[in-house]
Amino acid sequence: MQQVTRPDFFDNPYAASQASMDESTVAGAGQEMAGRGMRWLATIIDTVLMYGGLAIIFYPWLSKEASLESDAVKFGLLSFAWLILWWGGNCWLIYRNGQTVGKKICRIRVVREDGSRCSLARYVFMRALPIGVVRWIPYLGGLAAFIDAVMIFRGNYRCAHDDMAGTIVVKA
């Protein structure tokens, strides 16, 4: 009589594979993943440049005795022009290289999980826009932004917006 072996009670036939993956496998096409520090620095550079441009626009108003009401249209148009210029420049860099200004300075870029080029549409509509819209929701937005940022401390160096878009950040 042949003995039938039964799986252990704790064996899960539906569990994920336990195969180990090194960074080059995760990064796709042998590209090296960008470090958390470089990603953080690139975000800080982007933020400082964007708000720094707005600060330069508003500096004349802060340094004189003029009222905001008298110059509101001028400052509004200049601010709008700066944001369009900033957004347009970043979109152009993302389209060409998968980089924002900060990512270009830090020599990192965004690619798809398989190492191929990330399209502008994927970057904007699947990576930036969903989490950006959620961030505007009172209370929930702050929590979502925090969770998105903290997810980078997982073993795969990816934030929630990377998971949503199927992207990774690699060294350029």
Side-chain angles (χ1 to χ4, degrees), residues 23-59:
E23 281 189 359
S24 64
T25 306
V26 174
Q31 297 176 358
E32 188 178 351
M33 297 287 285
R36 294 176 183 109
M38 277 305 188
R39 291 186 66 176
W40 183 69
L41 181 61
T43 301
I44 288 175
I45 291 170
D46 284 336
T47 303
V48 166
L49 289 175
M50 183 185 72
Y51 287 113
L54 291 174
I56 290 169
I57 290 169
F58 278 93
Y59 179 76

Side-chain angles (χ1 to χ4, degrees), residues 5 39 63 80 93 104 122 131 152:
T5 59
R39 291 186 66 176
S63 65
F80 182 73
L93 285 172
K104 189 163 186 66
R122 176 176 290 274
I131 197 72
I152 198 169

